[in-house]
Each structure stands twice: as C-alpha cells, then as structure tokens.
Amino acid sequence: MKLTPEWRLYILGAILLVALTICSRNFGDRGGPYFMASLTLAGIAYLLAIREFFATPRSSRRVVTIGLVMAAVWNVAFLRQPAGADDDIHRYVWDGRLQRLGYNPYLVVPSDPAVKELHTPETRNLNNPDLPSPYPAGAQLFFRAVTGVQESTFALKVAFVICEFAIVLVLLDVLRFTRRPAHLVLAFAWNPLLAIEVAGSGHIDIVGALLLVVSAAALMRRWRTAAAVALGLAIAVKFLPVVLLPLYWKRVRVRDAALAASVVGLLYVSFLNHGRIPLGSLGTYVNSFRFNGPVFAALDRVVLPQLLAGLAVLVGLATATWLRIRSATSESSPYQFDWSQFAWPMAASLLCAPVVFPWYLLWLLPFLSSSSTLLIIIWTVSIIPTYVMWHLRTLGRPWGSLPGWVMPLEYGCVALAAAIILLRRLTRPPASTGLRPFLRRVRCWSGPAAR
C-alpha cells in the first residue's frame, strides 16, 4: 500500500517529535553521543520532510495544524530544560538587570569586583566575564523589557518562543497573500535549529528574524514606511541584516529610510558615552573570536581581521545588489519579489564571517521556503556536527578549536549538493531548461508548491 504525501508528513513529523524529545532530555550534555544521534536523526527527517513540502502542490489545513502542534510539543520539551551554564542568555539577563539598576552594559565589565554584588545566581557564571556587552541597542532594550517583567532565563526563553510563534503567523499570512501552499510554513517550524537555539538555549537572533520577516512582509504589501522601520529595528538587534539594504533600493522612499535611521539612532541615546556611540566588546569579537568560519580561517593569517570583517559585509552587500538588479529586470513590480532573496545575502556574509554559530542561521530560516534555497536548507542540517564542541569543552578542550573533520563535513555536504545540482543542470536534455523542470522530473525539492 502506497502512502499518501499527507501520511508521509505525519510519519516524518512523528520521527521529528520522538528524536527532538530525546534530544531535549540530553540537552545538559549538548554535543554528547545521545544528543548528537537524536539531533542527526531529526535533521535527516527534516530534509525528507522538505522534499515532501516542495513536491506536494497542496495539503489540507489539518496537515498544517497537526504539524504546528507537533512543533509546539517539542518546543515545550526544550523550554522546560534549563539553559546551558555558559549560554549567552545569562548575559542577556545581566544586561537587562544592569539597565534597570541604572548602569550602562557597554561600560560595565561583569568580572569587575566593584559590581560583584549586582550579580544573581543566573548571571554569576556568564561567559566572557572580562568583556562588556557586544549586543546592539535594540537587543539591549529587549533584554530590559523582558527582565522588567521577570528577571530570569526562563522568561527570556518564553519571550523568544513567542517571537518564533509570531514568525509562524506572519509566514502564514505571507503564504496566503502570495497564494502559496500553507504547509510551507512547516519548512520553518520543523527546522531542528529552532528547538535547540530558541526554546533550548534562547538566542536574541529570533527577535531580529521576526522584525526582518515583518519588514519583508510589509515590503511585499507596499507598506514602505513599516518595512524600512522594521528593517532598522532588525539591524538594531544584530548587524547582520545590514547587508540587505540593496534589496530596499527603489522599494522604499528616502524619507522612509531617514525615519528608520532616526529610530535606530534614538535607540542609542540612553547608551551614549560622552557623545560617542558605544560598541562594547564588538571590536574584541572581530579581532579575537574564531569559530566555524572557513573563509575567515583561511585568510586570517595574511589579512587583518578588520579587513576580513569588512569583506564579509561587502560580500553580503554585493550578493544583495546582484539580486536586486536581476529582479529589477525580470519582475513586473518591485514589490513582487522572490522571498528567498532575503536569505542569500545573509548566508554569503555569514560564510565569510569569523564566527558561524548554529544560532546565526536562525536569521535565514523564515526565507527557506523554495527549492532555490536548497543549499542553505542543507547547511542548517550539516551544521549539526559543530555541537560536538560543547561536549569537548566539558572534557577540557579549549573553546573554538573544532575537530579537523567537522568543517569539511559541514561545508562539504553543501559543496557536494551544489556540485550535484550543477552537474544535473549541465547534463540535462536540451528540451528541459532551468533547474525547476529537472527537479520536477526527479520529484525532489520542487513542484508547484515551490513556485
């Protein structure tokens, strides 16, 4: 008896549910054997589910509802687990607490004996205690708002999960607006990184991703002022989406851009130090932090870190510029654009960054709903081996020094997929033009749902 696409999705969802539940119960040993085995299984199930999403023209509302309920269950399983002892979320609590006590998180060093009494049990062992905060003003104000309600890592994790849920709602609205199948929202909701890095560890990146999704959705509806301001707020959470600025060329007005810049500037007013815009430990981050960045690692010994950081930004901007020029010549309206345009510039910039933590890819997840983003989708799964670093650290290994097999495996999977796609495109029959017809023939990663 042949299974219907609907039942295949139910089975894959059940596998994800079991695998991620097991993963959550081993969250305390992140990167350990049980954690890695269950997360790898979840990643494989997710890729198979992606194949079904893109190959299925339509699914019933029941599939979407059950799929989202499953995602909620495994998110709750992670939400119940305490964050890791040195996860960034402890720094978030500290920064929010400092602001409410009248201190500037860009100036106060957590390890300073003078502020010893300001610590709580959740902030006493935060990571990098010898450095002030590196997070932009938008993130700082979010920390302050949440800790003003309840000062705990759990409260922040709940806030982040709410942001994840809000992204789902916005994506459902976008899919309805563009007349695309609603089940594509599961391409976002089922990604294992969400459970690990939002409900589990709790990372501010999901807040920026929400603002960016709101901006893109507003741009699609021609709400130009809202689109510009939301982009500015996303940049004020983390600087990564600054590479998307070319995508807004001739899509927002100059006055909209000026308003967005003014809003971002106002966010920094309360943090100014003698009239200077504070950067905290951002410079130290660029100069000293290294993790899972292949391009940066290859060039770091011959090029200054500041220049390499600038190169990462330029690569992202160049990618966005190329996409904007290409779309300007092929689209009937500047507001009818490929949703995946927002993923590629950020992915290109991250590839050249000094640090590529798994949670950085959270910015990309809402825009991975078509076959054109297949390589990025694979990357969100192939990055799983980097979690072994957390386990090795508990065994005494210095932070940042990944085993030699990790990056070749992670980026090799993406490179191999790219080579296969390119080879297929070069060897396809002349009658079949374009990648989509080929993918339709092999019933993998495409179909009407991916248009």
Side-chain angles (χ1 to χ4, degrees), residues 397 401-409:
R397 184 159 179 164
S401 179
L402 282 166
W405 57 269
V406 173
M407 283 203 291
L409 176 60

Side-chain angles (χ1 to χ4, degrees), residues 27-233:
F27 193 64
D29 185 22
R30 210 173 323 168
Y34 293 106
F35 177 92
M36 294 297 288
S38 55
L39 184 56
T40 300
L41 176 60
I44 294 171
Y46 173 71
L47 290 178
L48 293 174
I50 286 289
R51 178 183 185 274
E52 296 297 330
F53 296 149
F54 292 170
T56 305
R58 292 285 171 185
S59 290
S60 66
R61 184 177 298 180
R62 180 176 57 183
V63 171
V64 178
T65 302
I66 294 176
L68 291 177
V69 169
M70 287 181 176
V73 171
W74 65 62
N75 270 278
V76 169
F78 277 94
L79 191 61
R80 295 174 58 188
Q81 303 299 321
D86 61 351
D87 278 341
D88 292 343
I89 197 168
H90 298 284
R91 169 76 71 164
Y92 303 165
V93 176
W94 169 253
D95 286 359
R97 177 174 173 78
L98 282 182
Q99 292 175 72
R100 292 189 304 103
L101 295 176
Y103 295 89
N104 190 332
Y106 294 114
L107 302 177
V108 176
V109 176
S111 62
D112 188 343
V115 297
K116 180 179 179 180
E117 299 302 321
L118 300 181
H119 279 285
T120 68
E122 288 194 316
T123 67
R124 194 163 288 120
N125 296 317
L126 55 75
N127 58 22
N128 302 305
D130 297 328
L131 298 174
S133 182
Y135 299 103
Q140 295 292 347
L141 294 175
F142 184 87
F143 303 153
R144 179 171 184 169
V146 176
T147 55
V149 176
Q150 183 180 343
E151 192 178 281
S152 69
T153 56
F154 180 75
L156 278 163
K157 291 212 299 179
V158 170
F160 294 146
V161 171
I162 291 174
C163 290
E164 178 186 336
F165 178 70
I167 291 176
V168 168
L169 295 180
V170 177
L171 289 178
L172 285 172
D173 179 69
V174 168
L175 291 170
R176 182 174 60 251
F177 181 74
T178 56
R179 298 181 180 180
R180 301 180 70 203
H183 68 255
L184 289 177
V185 73
L186 298 180
F188 167 77
W190 281 13
N191 193 292
L193 287 182
L194 283 174
I196 304 295
E197 301 300 349
V198 178
S201 298
H203 282 284
I204 188 64
D205 302 72
I206 197 66
V207 179
L210 171 60
L211 291 166
L212 187 56
V213 168
V214 169
S215 176
L219 196 63
M220 189 171 284
R221 292 179 178 271
R222 304 190 185 192
W223 299 343
R224 294 172 289 184
T225 302
V229 172
L231 175 65
L233 293 174

Side-chain angles (χ1 to χ4, degrees), residues 124-407:
R124 194 163 288 120
N125 296 317
L126 55 75
N127 58 22
N128 302 305
D130 297 328
L131 298 174
S133 182
Y135 299 103
Q140 295 292 347
L141 294 175
F142 184 87
F143 303 153
R144 179 171 184 169
V146 176
T147 55
V149 176
Q150 183 180 343
E151 192 178 281
S152 69
T153 56
F154 180 75
L156 278 163
K157 291 212 299 179
V158 170
F160 294 146
V161 171
I162 291 174
C163 290
E164 178 186 336
F165 178 70
I167 291 176
V168 168
L169 295 180
V170 177
L171 289 178
L172 285 172
D173 179 69
V174 168
L175 291 170
R176 182 174 60 251
F177 181 74
T178 56
R179 298 181 180 180
R180 301 180 70 203
H183 68 255
L184 289 177
V185 73
L186 298 180
F188 167 77
W190 281 13
N191 193 292
L193 287 182
L194 283 174
I196 304 295
E197 301 300 349
V198 178
S201 298
H203 282 284
I204 188 64
D205 302 72
I206 197 66
V207 179
L210 171 60
L211 291 166
L212 187 56
V213 168
V214 169
S215 176
L219 196 63
M220 189 171 284
R221 292 179 178 271
R222 304 190 185 192
W223 299 343
R224 294 172 289 184
T225 302
V229 172
L231 175 65
L233 293 174
I235 294 172
V237 170
K238 274 194 175 179
F239 298 128
L240 176 61
V242 74
V243 301
L244 299 176
L245 287 176
L247 296 182
Y248 289 75
W249 177 61
K250 290 190 175 180
R251 287 172 172 160
V252 299
R253 297 161 296 195
V254 173
R255 66 171 182 245
D256 299 324
L259 176 61
S262 300
V263 169
V264 173
L266 288 174
L267 297 180
Y268 276 94
V269 168
S270 61
F271 301 106
L272 293 178
N273 179 34
H274 301 293
R276 298 174 60 184
I277 297 177
L279 296 177
S281 58
L282 185 61
T284 304
Y285 171 88
V286 172
N287 290 325
S288 306
F289 283 49
R290 302 289 182 269
F291 182 82
N292 193 36
V295 176
F296 210 98
L299 300 177
D300 195 19
R301 295 184 179 181
V302 295
V303 182
L304 291 175
Q306 297 87 343
L307 293 178
L308 286 177
L311 174 64
V313 175
L314 286 176
V315 168
L317 289 171
T319 304
T321 301
W322 178 73
L323 289 171
R324 183 66 187 97
I325 293 173
R326 190 182 70 166
S327 64
T329 60
S330 62
E331 296 168 353
S332 58
S333 168
Y335 303 100
Q336 296 175 354
F337 52 83
D338 183 357
W339 189 253
S340 66
Q341 284 184 3
F342 284 75
W344 282 107
M346 293 188 292
S349 187
L350 284 175
L351 189 64
C352 301
V355 176
V356 186
F357 288 124
W359 56 88
Y360 288 6
L361 303 191
L362 293 176
W363 289 90
L364 313 178
L365 299 187
F367 305 100
L368 308 182
S369 60
S370 74
S371 59
S372 64
T373 58
L374 171 59
L375 296 181
I376 303 178
I377 291 171
I378 292 174
W379 189 15
T380 67
V381 174
S382 68
I383 201 172
I384 286 174
T386 61
Y387 284 110
V388 74
M389 185 73 255
W390 277 258
H391 179 69
L392 293 176
R393 191 180 183 191
T394 64
L395 301 179
R397 184 159 179 164
W399 175 259
S401 179
L402 282 166
W405 57 269
V406 173
M407 283 203 291

